Amino acid sequence: MEPKFILATDVGSTTTKARFFGKIRDEWKFLSSGEAPTTVEKPVEDVTMGIRNAVREVEELTGHKIIDYECEELRFLMPHKGENTGIDVYVSTSSAGGGLQMLVQGVVKSITAESAQRAALGAGAIVMDVLSVDDGRDTYEKISALRFLRPDIVLLAGGIDGGTKSHVLEMTEILAMAKPRPRFEIEFLLPVVYAGNKDAREDVKKTLCENFDVRITDNLRPMLEVEKVEPARDAILGLFMEHVMAHAPGYEKLKKLVSTNIMPTPAAEGMMVRKFSELKCVNSIGVGLGGATTNVYSYFDGRFLRTVSANLGMSYSVGNVLKEANIKNVKKWTPFQISEEEVMGIVYNKMIRPTTIPMTFEDLVIEHALARESIRMAFNHHKYLARELKGVKKERTISDIFEEVKTEDTYLDVYRINYIIGTGGLLSRAPRRSQSMMMLTDAFQPVGFTSLAQDSVFMMPHLGVLSTIHPEIALHIFEKECLIYLGTLIAGAGISKPGAKVADITIEYENGKKDNFELLFSKIVKVEIPYEKTVNVKVYPSSEFNFGAGFGRNVEKTVRGGVVGLVFDGRGRPIHIPEDEKERFNTILDWYSSMNLYPKEKIEEWRSQL
Amino acid sequence: MKDSKESFAYTPGLKVTPCTYIRRIRSLPLKGEILVKKGENVNFDTTVATCCIEGAPYIVKIAELLDVDPEETVRYILKKEGENVSKGELLARNTSLFGLINKKVTAEVNGVIERINEITGHLTIREPPKNVEVKAYIKGKVDDVIPNEAAVIGTYAAFIQGIIGFSGERFGKLKMAVSNPEQVLDADMITENDAGKIIVGGSLVTYEALEKARKIKVNGIVVGGARMEDLESILKTRIGVAITGREDIDFTLILTEGFGKLPMSENTFRILKENEGRIAAINGTTQVRAGVLRPEIIIPLEVSERARREKELEEGKMKVGSIVRIIRFPYFGAVGKVIELPIELNKIETESLVRVVRIELLDGRKVLVPRANVEIVAD
């Protein structure tokens, strides 16, 4: 029987978010949301308490009875009775207590360790460390790193099937000797998923069985040219439910309530990006800009990849964003004088008081600059893992992962990204939608024609887990209620002099009307066209610019508008930001003005200070 | 419409109180022995629990060092699993070609041979176990004992939470180095006599003062703010996420307000001043995530002091009339009285729609700020 009312929760590291959906007049609608602090730690060590509080808020706002108050333990009234009582489906995701934290071990850093990392990230894990024989650390350093980590699960891989066993057994031995302890309890054995050379399975079991709970899965690199991460990923997700969730306070009760398995938040969030892309047959990039982590998802030519950049986020981890990005890269997005000390003051005080909100535009501009940098670095991390399989790789260090990844190294072709979807508190709360569109554009710098959208009120994880049992309902709500279509970005790669022609543009409207204009270098032109309208756009680029068909080659496409509209980006790729400070301020203020990013008076005030 | 002045708001804020009952659970990292009994009096440095932590493993790559196949290694090893070895002792030898090749491997650490791996050709020496002692941390009474795991120590104390701290638990006599919360703590305010003490500063501690504190061996500094670059120079590391407590500096530093020059809140300053000369326990450990951990200053009080009104620690509920402090620029540190708590969302300067509070500042200005940007000073 098709459900009528659905409740979904995400037990986040700080807040538990409830979302309530219902079928009203034959159409699925998002009805209400409720939020409450997560109760995974003292004094209330029971996640169901936070869920109860969040759902109670939904009840108060809608008048719909969901909780069975006759039971002391949290129970929901299921199935629904009439229009105002009960639900039919309850699903949940969780990143409570810092999410799923994993340790990854492989033999060769750029081969098995990299594949293992992809498998762990694919399961929605935060990867605490990646160890390999060739990671540049001495054995004692590896042991010492392991001894102080408290992972939820270890993924051990290495060697192709039938190949040499000694290296993977060396890594096994290091793990056995270091005996890292599990995060939650002293008493239970730390789970280890072994996905390496199948000939070494018995030796691995023998070495680890005394102190670890060993699970064997298929080798994730059975041959050098083959990567098979799904069995390892599934084993990790199984263990997440069985071990990690089971040892978190209150999860035993929660497990009894849900209609399907609880999923790690990033796994569910990514699933929605994947399902949407599969359904639409498009290449998409998704980003979840959180307080502690930034998650990036890509679905490209049928390949799906999910990465979680731990310690890149907009509140708890914002100090790290500044540290990794470098203060100059943050300041380059600001159109006013601000000292490094002032920037540090804003950033680090936000880190220690993460729930506070910017009260001035200057403060807001700094937060938006940090968001661009956080996404840019997380995308680089993502591109680092979105690479073709290779047997032999050049040496890289861990710190390289936030560096720019050369275009030829990644299979993510910026010319062929059809959709960019953003989610997370900062994007959802941006006072103007044009600010979200600009942040996503500047961070990803897509080329050609790209549609941009954002999650309206953070419900992608909820819909992701729902999609495992009711994919049609989840996709319907995702498209109709969750996504806000910001608009279409039309941008060319290339560089020129400010004021030089980038392209001639023609927009043909449905009513036959035509608009022609010249797109100049370093300028942005925004045309307000709502989502319901489609227009035909013809681009005649100058020889220095490529809009997807090649340098100087014309492109024509029919595109939709959005709440922001069509944005023609003549800033080149990579985006040209002048070195001279005054010129930079003026250029950025022109962009702000074209995008209607901040109030006119404020932009004029900044301009008058130049 | 409901009278908006009736709206209440939950504001977490930092706990600052002249007298309350504090309990601290002193847990062992592994199961071990609890050395105190319920009801027993303990001092700051009393050892309350102890356990043994397994020593570090030391892997010796015998096959590689002797240049032999891993499967053959066992033939060259002179020791057995479970045997004790001392640093310098011979572990394995490969003599061949009538003594022309004579390779030896000796132990580089003391310990026990835990494993000889015939597949990898490695030998593992486990270093001797280490004894871990858990101190009482605060002066008080043992309230409870969890056998083999923890002791709970309780005391009446003045209690202050800071916003971020560095380095772990220490104790010492409180000394006010400044006369008001705005004053900067400079190097010349710290003297040789301050060794082992906890020094209280005002709005800022300078780099020179931090350096001098280390040289003189003060045990702690409590101050409103510090400049990030000075902190990073002292800590010799960059700060990225607010998870601290393990910094390898010789004193504990607690910032009560944040980064930069920020006057210490009047309330905090007054409590510290009232308790000058008393012994305080401090801990810089901070974790700004779920289950927030803030740095703390605990000043155990004598029985006579408890006569003062005991203030229960409770999460603050902001209401009209509450005295609050703004904790974000441009009004950072400004104190005022709540005059209105509108229920509906309001647009602030940045055009964000948020729940707000209207405050009358001490200088008479009336400002509208997000509720998330204030903390309660008093009801």
Side-chain angles (χ1 to χ4, degrees):
Chain A
M1 198 180 82
E2 207 201 38
K4 187 163 167 57
F5 292 105
I6 295 172
L7 176 70
T9 54
D10 171 56
V11 184
S13 57
T14 315
T15 315
T16 298
K17 301 134 200 135
R19 304 290 181 258
F20 183 47
F21 309 100
K23 197 172 187 182
I24 311 293
R25 285 187 288 279
D26 272 346
E27 193 166 7
W28 279 96
K29 292 275 179 200
F30 161 63
L31 299 177
S32 183
S33 65
E35 300 193 355
T38 293
T39 48
V40 74
E41 309 203 14
K42 282 176 184 150
V44 190
E45 289 175 295
D46 181 351
V47 284
T48 62
M49 194 58 81
I51 295 170
R52 178 189 286 267
N53 294 341
V55 176
R56 194 180 285 163
E57 199 171 301
V58 170
E59 288 187 320
E60 283 167 12
L61 290 168
T62 58
H64 194 103
K65 288 179 196 147
I66 300 172
I67 299 168
D68 181 353
Y69 290 98
E70 305 226 326
C71 290
E72 202 176 307
E73 212 171 78
L74 180 64
R75 286 273 157 76
F76 297 128
L77 298 163
M78 290 171 89
H80 86 276
K81 289 169 207 144
E83 290 304 304
N84 292 312
T85 307
I87 55 168
D88 305 295
V89 173
Y90 170 60
V91 289
S92 190
T93 57
S94 172
S95 55
L100 168 61
Q101 302 195 3
M102 285 188 66
L103 173 72
V104 167
Q105 280 187 286
V107 168
V108 181
K109 193 180 164 191
S110 59
I111 305 177
T112 43
E114 199 171 295
S115 292
Q117 205 181 339
R118 274 192 280 266
L121 290 164
I126 287 170
V127 175
M128 305 166 90
D129 203 348
V130 183
L131 282 91
S132 63
V133 173
D134 63 339
D135 65 9
R137 284 180 277 190
D138 280 333
T139 306
Y140 79 90
E141 288 175 300
K142 288 181 183 124
I143 289 177
S144 137
L146 284 173
R147 272 163 65 85
F148 293 105
L149 290 176
R150 294 280 175 275
D152 293 314
I153 300 170
V154 178
L155 174 60
L156 175 64
I160 55 169
D161 284 345
T164 175
K165 297 193 291 185
S166 61
H167 296 309
V168 72
L169 292 178
E170 184 180 328
M171 294 310 287
T172 311
E173 189 172 42
I174 288 172
L175 179 66
M177 290 300 125
K179 295 181 198 161
R181 296 214 310 271
R183 192 153 59 112
F184 277 119
E185 276 186 23
I186 300 173
E187 301 299 332
F188 90 107
L189 299 178
L190 177 64
V192 176
V193 173
Y194 176 69
N197 182 355
K198 64 178 181 188
D199 297 348
R201 284 175 185 171
E202 288 311 312
D203 295 319
V204 169
K205 268 200 230 169
K206 208 169 111 190
T207 311
L208 298 177
C209 64
E210 199 182 324
N211 296 305
F212 299 87
D213 173 6
V214 185
R215 307 294 173 100
I216 306 286
T217 69
D218 291 351
N219 189 351
L220 47 74
R221 283 300 278 268
M223 289 184 280
L224 264 188
E225 59 279 13
V226 176
E227 181 180 85
K228 216 166 89 182
V229 295
E230 290 77 14
R233 193 195 59 205
D234 293 345
I236 294 164
L237 283 173
L239 278 166
F240 176 73
M241 277 299 287
E242 190 184 321
H243 265 260
V244 186
M245 290 287 92
H247 289 87
Y251 273 95
E252 275 308 315
K253 293 186 210 167
L254 178 59
K255 274 166 76 179
K256 283 185 222 155
L257 294 173
V258 288
S259 311
T260 185
N261 277 354
I262 303 160
M263 284 177 85
T265 308
E269 203 169 69
M271 184 170 276
M272 217 50 241
V273 175
R274 181 180 191 157
K275 294 232 158 119
F276 171 78
S277 312
E278 281 171 348
L279 182 82
K280 295 244 171 195
C281 297
V282 291
N283 291 329
S284 306
I285 304 273
V287 60
L289 180 61
T293 64
T294 301
N295 312 325
V296 178
Y297 317 97
S298 65
Y299 183 85
F300 207 87
D301 293 341
R303 276 193 272 196
F304 179 69
L305 179 69
R306 178 191 295 120
T307 52
V308 179
S309 294
N311 295 338
L312 288 183
M314 290 312 298
S315 58
Y316 309 110
S317 315
V318 73
N320 210 46
V321 174
L322 186 72
K323 189 167 109 177
E324 293 289 346
N326 183 332
I327 202 157
K328 281 200 178 93
N329 278 326
V330 175
K331 276 184 70 179
K332 77 179 180 194
W333 299 109
T334 60
F336 44 77
Q337 291 282 1
I338 185 161
S339 68
E340 294 200 352
E341 198 178 335
E342 284 173 290
V343 174
M344 285 164 86
I346 292 171
V347 171
Y348 288 111
N349 284 308
K350 168 82 180 178
M351 176 180 82
I352 52 178
R353 291 187 162 99
T355 53
T356 58
I357 295 164
M359 283 196 275
T360 65
F361 280 106
E362 287 76 10
D363 216 339
L364 188 69
V365 166
I366 296 288
E367 277 207 359
H368 288 176
L370 289 157
R372 285 172 174 89
E373 289 301 305
S374 187
I375 300 172
R376 177 185 67 81
M377 290 187 290
F379 188 42
N380 278 330
H381 178 200
H382 187 83
K383 284 192 281 186
Y384 178 83
L385 289 162
R387 299 191 295 182
E388 302 294 348
L389 297 185
K390 283 178 190 167
V392 183
K393 294 267 182 185
K394 60 180 179 178
E395 282 288 308
R396 279 171 186 267
T397 63
I398 282 287
S399 61
D400 287 342
I401 62 172
F402 296 132
E403 297 296 315
E404 294 300 332
V405 174
K406 286 186 188 140
T407 321
E408 64 268 25
D409 283 347
T410 176
Y411 58 77
L412 296 173
D413 177 0
V414 284
Y415 287 93
R416 296 198 297 117
I417 296 169
N418 307 109
Y419 272 91
I420 292 175
I421 301 166
T423 181
L426 187 129
L427 291 170
S428 304
R429 281 198 312 267
R432 295 187 182 195
R433 299 292 188 200
S434 55
Q435 292 164 358
S436 306
M437 183 146 178
M438 193 80 169
M439 279 187 263
L440 293 170
T441 302
D442 293 347
F444 288 107
Q445 304 202 11
V447 188
F449 288 65
T450 317
S451 300
L452 283 89
Q454 75 169 72
D455 185 352
S456 55
V457 286
F458 189 73
M459 58 170 102
M460 268 169 71
H462 306 76
L463 297 175
V465 64
L466 177 64
S467 75
T468 59
I469 45 173
H470 291 290
E472 298 83 13
I473 299 173
L475 273 163
H476 179 90
I477 300 171
F478 184 64
E479 280 200 75
K480 301 278 179 196
E481 301 281 312
C482 169
L483 281 191
I484 291 175
Y485 291 91
L486 299 169
T488 302
L489 178 86
I490 297 132
I495 190 143
S496 192
K497 285 182 185 150
K501 185 163 84 175
V502 170
D504 283 311
I505 310 285
T506 301
I507 304 173
E508 291 175 7
Y509 295 87
E510 283 165 338
N511 60 7
K513 190 188 144 210
K514 279 188 189 178
D515 271 345
N516 296 303
F517 62 93
E518 259 188 2
L519 178 65
L520 302 178
F521 186 65
S522 207
K523 298 285 178 197
I524 295 174
V525 176
K526 181 168 79 82
V527 182
E528 284 182 19
I529 293 170
Y531 177 70
E532 307 73 51
K533 302 267 183 206
T534 56
V535 290
N536 192 49
V537 175
K538 287 177 182 163
V539 181
Y540 308 96
S542 65
S543 57
E544 293 92 9
F545 288 90
N546 179 357
F547 279 75
F551 283 90
R553 303 187 73 158
N554 303 344
V555 190
E556 182 179 345
K557 273 193 183 173
T558 300
V559 295
R560 269 189 189 283
V563 291
V564 179
L566 297 194
V567 175
F568 295 87
D569 186 350
R571 297 176 297 167
R573 292 290 184 268
I575 292 174
H576 170 70
I577 299 177
E579 288 287 324
D580 175 72
E581 193 176 73
K582 198 173 172 191
E583 201 189 332
R584 177 167 62 87
F585 288 171
N586 257 320
T587 306
I588 293 173
L589 289 172
D590 284 348
W591 300 344
Y592 283 9
S593 203
S594 306
M595 287 295 288
N596 193 19
L597 221 55
Y598 302 99
K600 266 186 201 154
E601 311 78 60
K602 196 67 209 178
I603 294 174
E604 285 319 309
E605 185 191 317
W606 284 326
R607 214 184 279 279
S608 69
Q609 288 164 0
L610 297 181
Chain B
M1 204 178 106
K2 209 174 157 186
D3 183 358
S4 64
K5 289 189 177 180
E6 284 177 8
S7 167
F8 282 84
Y10 163 78
T11 309
L14 299 175
K15 291 164 187 130
V16 176
T17 178
C19 182
T20 188
Y21 195 78
I22 289 285
R23 271 190 192 87
R24 285 294 171 264
I25 302 171
R26 311 298 293 159
S27 301
L28 285 165
L30 292 170
K31 286 198 172 177
E33 195 186 347
I34 307 300
L35 306 172
V36 289
K37 288 190 183 75
K38 195 172 169 178
E40 202 176 316
N41 286 323
V42 289
N43 213 328
F44 297 93
D45 56 354
T46 307
T47 304
V48 295
T50 179
C51 72
C52 262
I53 284 191
E54 197 173 42
Y58 191 88
I59 295 179
V60 192
K61 297 182 176 181
I62 303 279
E64 213 174 297
L65 294 167
L66 293 186
D67 201 12
V68 296
D69 287 337
E71 312 84 67
E72 294 177 4
T73 317
V74 71
R75 281 171 43 201
Y76 302 95
I77 295 176
L78 308 169
K79 300 280 176 188
K80 289 194 182 76
E81 284 182 2
E83 231 176 291
N84 284 316
V85 287
S86 309
K87 193 175 174 181
E89 211 176 322
L90 195 61
L91 293 173
R93 179 169 33 205
N94 176 12
T95 310
S96 56
L97 286 175
F98 310 106
L100 279 176
I101 294 175
N102 187 10
K103 291 186 173 172
K104 292 175 184 171
V105 181
T106 53
E108 289 193 25
V109 291
N110 296 328
V112 178
I113 309 256
E114 183 168 298
R115 185 193 289 250
I116 296 168
N117 192 324
E118 291 173 34
I119 304 164
T120 57
H122 296 168
L123 172 154
T124 307
I125 303 170
R126 177 76 61 183
E127 288 187 282
K130 281 182 187 155
N131 203 39
V132 173
E133 286 186 344
V134 174
K135 303 284 182 190
Y137 170 52
I138 51 175
K139 185 182 177 183
K141 199 170 259 184
V142 179
D143 271 355
D144 203 0
V145 166
I146 304 159
N148 308 116
E149 287 182 27
V152 184
I153 316 296
T155 185
Y156 280 95
F159 179 66
I160 294 165
Q161 281 185 321
I163 192 80
I164 188 165
F166 302 93
S167 198
E169 298 171 354
R170 285 189 173 84
F171 66 94
K173 193 183 270 189
L174 272 181
K175 186 211 156 177
M176 303 300 287
V178 295
S179 54
N180 64 67
E182 281 87 27
Q183 210 177 340
V184 173
L185 174 60
D186 216 336
D188 55 12
M189 295 169 175
I190 302 172
T191 68
E192 298 284 341
N193 293 333
D194 294 333
K197 288 183 183 162
I198 294 167
I199 308 295
V200 180
S203 57
L204 182 82
V205 56
T206 63
Y207 174 78
E208 292 73 24
L210 290 168
E211 266 299 328
K212 193 165 179 190
R214 175 153 67 185
K215 222 192 249 165
I216 282 177
K217 292 190 167 48
V218 306
N219 270 1
I221 292 181
V222 181
V223 67
R227 289 201 179 91
M228 184 53 96
E229 57 268 38
D230 295 345
L231 285 175
E232 290 183 341
S233 302
I234 287 286
L235 300 171
K236 295 189 175 62
T237 182
R238 297 205 66 182
I239 301 159
V241 287
I243 298 172
T244 65
R246 287 186 165 200
E247 291 71 25
D248 189 18
I249 48 172
D250 301 323
F251 58 92
T252 298
L253 172 65
I254 294 178
L255 307 182
T256 59
E257 314 304 316
F259 297 106
K261 188 180 175 188
L262 303 166
M264 184 181 283
S265 93
E266 295 274 356
N267 205 13
T268 305
F269 191 82
R270 194 183 58 245
I271 294 172
L272 289 168
K273 200 170 178 184
E274 279 170 9
N275 288 288
E276 187 173 12
R278 290 210 167 88
I279 311 278
I282 58 171
N283 184 1
T285 305
T286 310
Q287 189 184 315
V288 191
R289 297 257 340 223
V292 180
L293 219 58
R294 292 289 186 183
E296 62 184 15
I297 303 141
I298 300 171
I299 313 160
L301 299 173
E302 299 301 324
V303 181
S304 58
E305 282 300 313
R306 295 176 203 160
R308 286 191 293 181
R309 189 171 68 89
E310 197 181 312
K311 210 171 174 182
E312 272 305 307
L313 287 184
E314 58 172 336
E315 300 295 0
K317 267 198 176 159
M318 186 164 48
K319 49 187 183 281
V320 171
S322 295
I323 304 296
V324 294
R325 208 160 64 101
I326 305 175
I327 51 169
R328 183 135 184 172
F329 295 104
Y331 306 113
F332 196 107
V335 175
K337 193 162 80 175
V338 174
I339 50 174
E340 194 190 352
L341 281 162
I343 294 171
E344 64 280 4
L345 299 178
N346 270 250
K347 209 177 237 187
I348 55 169
E349 185 196 312
T350 59
E351 301 181 330
S352 289
L353 267 178
V354 292
R355 294 199 85 186
V356 296
V357 51
R358 196 176 297 279
I359 301 165
E360 185 174 351
L361 300 179
L362 292 178
D363 62 11
R365 278 181 300 163
K366 287 175 183 159
V367 294
L368 191 73
V369 297
R371 288 188 190 182
N373 292 3
V374 300
E375 63 185 20
I376 297 173
V377 176
D379 289 339

